[in-house]
Coordinates of all heavy atoms in Angstrom, one line a residue:
Y220 N 5.6 6.8 11.7 CA 4.9 7.1 13.1 C 4.9 5.9 14.0 O 4.9 4.8 13.4 CB 3.5 7.7 12.7 CG 2.5 6.6 12.2 CD1 1.6 6.1 13.0 CD2 2.6 6.3 10.8 CE1 0.7 5.1 12.5 CE2 1.7 5.2 10.4 CZ 0.7 4.7 11.1 OH -0.1 3.8 10.7
N229 N -1.9 8.3 25.4 CA -1.5 7.6 24.2 C -1.6 8.5 23.0 O -2.7 9.1 22.7 CB -2.2 6.3 24.1 CG -1.8 5.3 25.0 OD1 -0.7 5.2 25.5 ND2 -2.8 4.6 25.5
V230 N -0.5 8.7 22.3 CA -0.5 9.6 21.1 C 0.4 8.9 20.0 O 1.1 7.9 20.3 CB 0.1 11.0 21.4 CG1 -0.7 11.7 22.5 CG2 1.6 11.0 21.8
Y231 N 0.4 9.4 18.9 CA 1.4 9.0 17.8 C 2.5 10.0 17.8 O 2.3 11.3 18.1 CB 0.8 8.9 16.4 CG 0.0 7.7 16.1 CD1 -1.3 7.7 15.5 CD2 0.7 6.5 16.3 CE1 -1.9 6.5 15.3 CE2 0.0 5.3 16.0 CZ -1.3 5.4 15.5 OH -1.9 4.2 15.2
E232 N 3.7 9.5 17.7 CA 4.9 10.4 17.5 C 5.2 10.1 16.0 O 5.1 9.1 15.4 CB 6.0 9.9 18.3 CG 7.2 10.8 18.1 CD 8.4 10.3 19.0 OE1 8.1 9.6 20.1 OE2 9.5 10.6 18.8
I233 N 5.7 11.3 15.3 CA 6.0 11.2 13.9 C 7.4 11.7 13.9 O 8.0 12.5 14.5 CB 5.1 12.0 13.1 CG1 5.2 11.9 11.6 CG2 5.2 13.6 13.5 CD1 4.1 12.4 10.8
L254 N 1.6 11.2 5.1 CA 1.6 10.4 6.3 C 0.4 10.9 7.3 O -0.4 10.0 7.8 CB 2.8 10.3 7.0 CG 2.9 9.3 8.2 CD1 2.5 7.9 7.7 CD2 4.3 9.4 8.7
I255 N 0.2 12.1 7.4 CA -0.8 12.6 8.4 C -2.2 12.2 7.9 O -3.0 11.8 8.6 CB -0.7 14.2 8.5 CG1 0.5 14.5 9.3 CG2 -1.9 14.7 9.2 CD1 0.9 16.1 9.3
A256 N -2.4 12.3 6.5 CA -3.6 11.8 6.0 C -3.9 10.3 6.3 O -5.0 10.0 6.6 CB -3.8 12.1 4.5
K257 N -2.9 9.5 6.1 CA -3.0 8.1 6.4 C -3.4 7.9 8.0 O -4.2 7.1 8.3 CB -1.7 7.5 6.1 CG -1.7 6.0 6.4 CD -0.4 5.4 5.8 CE -0.4 3.9 5.9 NZ -1.6 3.2 5.6
I258 N -2.7 8.6 8.8 CA -3.0 8.5 10.2 C -4.3 8.9 10.7 O -5.1 8.2 11.5 CB -1.8 9.3 11.1 CG1 -0.5 8.7 10.8 CG2 -2.2 9.3 12.6 CD1 0.6 9.6 11.3
K259 N -4.8 10.0 10.0 CA -6.1 10.5 10.3 C -7.2 9.4 9.9 O -8.1 9.3 10.7 CB -6.4 11.8 9.5 CG -5.9 13.1 10.0 CD -6.3 14.2 9.2 CE -5.8 15.6 9.9 NZ -6.1 16.7 9.2
A260 N -6.9 8.7 8.8 CA -7.9 7.7 8.5 C -8.0 6.5 9.6 O -9.0 5.9 9.5 CB -7.4 7.1 7.0
E261 N -6.9 6.4 10.3 CA -7.0 5.3 11.3 C -7.9 5.6 12.5 O -8.5 4.7 13.1 CB -5.6 5.0 11.8 CG -4.6 4.3 10.9 CD -3.4 4.0 11.5 OE1 -3.1 4.1 12.8 OE2 -2.4 3.6 10.7
R262 N -8.1 6.9 12.7 CA -8.9 7.3 13.9 C -8.6 6.6 15.1 O -9.5 6.1 15.9 CB -10.3 7.2 13.5 CG -10.8 8.0 12.3 CD -12.2 7.9 12.0 NE -12.5 9.0 11.4 CZ -13.7 9.2 10.8 NH1 -14.6 8.2 10.8 NH2 -14.1 10.4 10.2
K263 N -7.3 6.4 15.5 CA -6.9 5.7 16.6 C -6.7 6.6 17.9 O -7.1 6.4 18.9 CB -5.7 4.8 16.4 CG -5.4 3.9 17.6 CD -4.3 2.9 17.1 CE -4.0 2.0 18.2 NZ -3.0 1.0 17.9
Y264 N -5.9 7.7 17.7 CA -5.5 8.6 18.6 C -5.9 10.1 18.3 O -6.1 10.4 17.0 CB -4.0 8.8 18.9 CG -3.5 7.3 19.5 CD1 -2.5 6.7 18.9 CD2 -4.1 6.8 20.6 CE1 -2.1 5.5 19.4 CE2 -3.7 5.5 21.2 CZ -2.7 4.8 20.6 OH -2.3 3.7 21.0
K265 N -6.0 11.0 19.2 CA -6.4 12.3 18.9 C -5.2 13.2 18.5 O -5.6 14.3 17.8 CB -7.1 12.9 20.2 CG -7.8 14.3 20.0 CD -8.5 14.7 21.4 CE -9.1 16.1 21.1 NZ -9.8 16.4 22.4
Y266 N -4.0 12.9 18.8 CA -3.0 13.7 18.6 C -1.8 13.0 18.1 O -1.5 11.9 18.3 CB -2.5 14.4 19.9 CG -3.5 15.2 20.5 CD1 -4.1 14.7 21.7 CD2 -3.8 16.5 20.1 CE1 -5.2 15.5 22.4 CE2 -4.8 17.3 20.7 CZ -5.5 16.8 21.9 OH -6.4 17.5 22.5
I267 N -1.0 13.8 17.2 CA 0.3 13.4 16.7 C 1.3 14.4 17.3 O 1.0 15.8 17.2 CB 0.4 13.5 15.2 CG1 -0.6 12.6 14.4 CG2 1.8 13.1 14.7 CD1 -0.6 12.8 12.9
H268 N 2.4 14.0 17.8 CA 3.4 14.9 18.3 C 4.8 14.7 17.5 O 4.9 13.6 17.1 CB 3.8 14.5 19.8 CG 2.7 15.0 20.7 ND1 2.9 16.2 21.4 CD2 1.5 14.6 21.0 CE1 1.8 16.4 22.2 NE2 1.0 15.5 21.9
F287 N 1.1 22.1 12.8 CA 1.2 21.7 14.2 C 1.2 22.9 15.1 O 1.7 24.0 14.7 CB 2.6 21.0 14.3 CG 2.6 19.5 13.8 CD1 2.6 19.2 12.5 CD2 2.7 18.4 14.7 CE1 2.6 18.0 12.0 CE2 2.7 17.1 14.1 CZ 2.7 17.0 12.8
C309 N 2.4 19.7 18.4 CA 1.2 18.8 18.5 C 0.2 19.1 17.3 O 0.0 20.3 17.0 CB 0.6 19.0 19.8 SG -0.9 17.9 20.0
L310 N -0.3 18.1 16.8 CA -1.3 18.2 15.7 C -2.5 17.5 16.1 O -2.5 16.3 16.4 CB -0.9 17.7 14.3 CG -1.9 17.8 13.1 CD1 -2.1 19.3 12.7 CD2 -1.4 17.1 12.0
E311 N -3.7 18.2 16.3 CA -5.0 17.5 16.6 C -5.5 16.9 15.3 O -5.6 17.5 14.3 CB -5.9 18.5 17.1 CG -7.1 17.8 17.8 CD -8.0 18.7 18.7 OE1 -7.4 19.8 19.0 OE2 -9.1 18.3 19.1
L312 N -6.0 15.6 15.5 CA -6.4 14.9 14.2 C -7.9 15.1 13.9 O -8.4 14.4 13.0 CB -6.0 13.4 14.5 CG -4.6 13.2 14.4 CD1 -4.3 11.7 14.8 CD2 -3.9 13.6 13.1
E313 N -8.7 15.7 14.8 CA -10.1 15.7 14.6 C -10.5 16.6 13.5 O -9.9 17.5 13.2 CB -10.8 16.1 15.9 CG -10.7 15.2 16.9 CD -11.4 15.5 18.3 OE1 -11.5 16.6 18.5 OE2 -11.8 14.5 18.8

Side-chain angles (χ1 to χ4, degrees):
Y220 69 104
N229 288 322
V230 299
Y231 275 130
E232 182 180 340
I233 191 169
L254 183 55
I255 289 168
K257 181 175 181 42
I258 295 169
K259 280 183 178 181
E261 287 184 10
R262 298 182 154 170
K263 188 169 183 179
Y264 295 127
K265 187 175 180 178
Y266 300 105
I267 301 172
H268 284 260
F287 280 73
C309 180
L310 180 69
E311 189 167 347
L312 294 173
E313 294 182 327

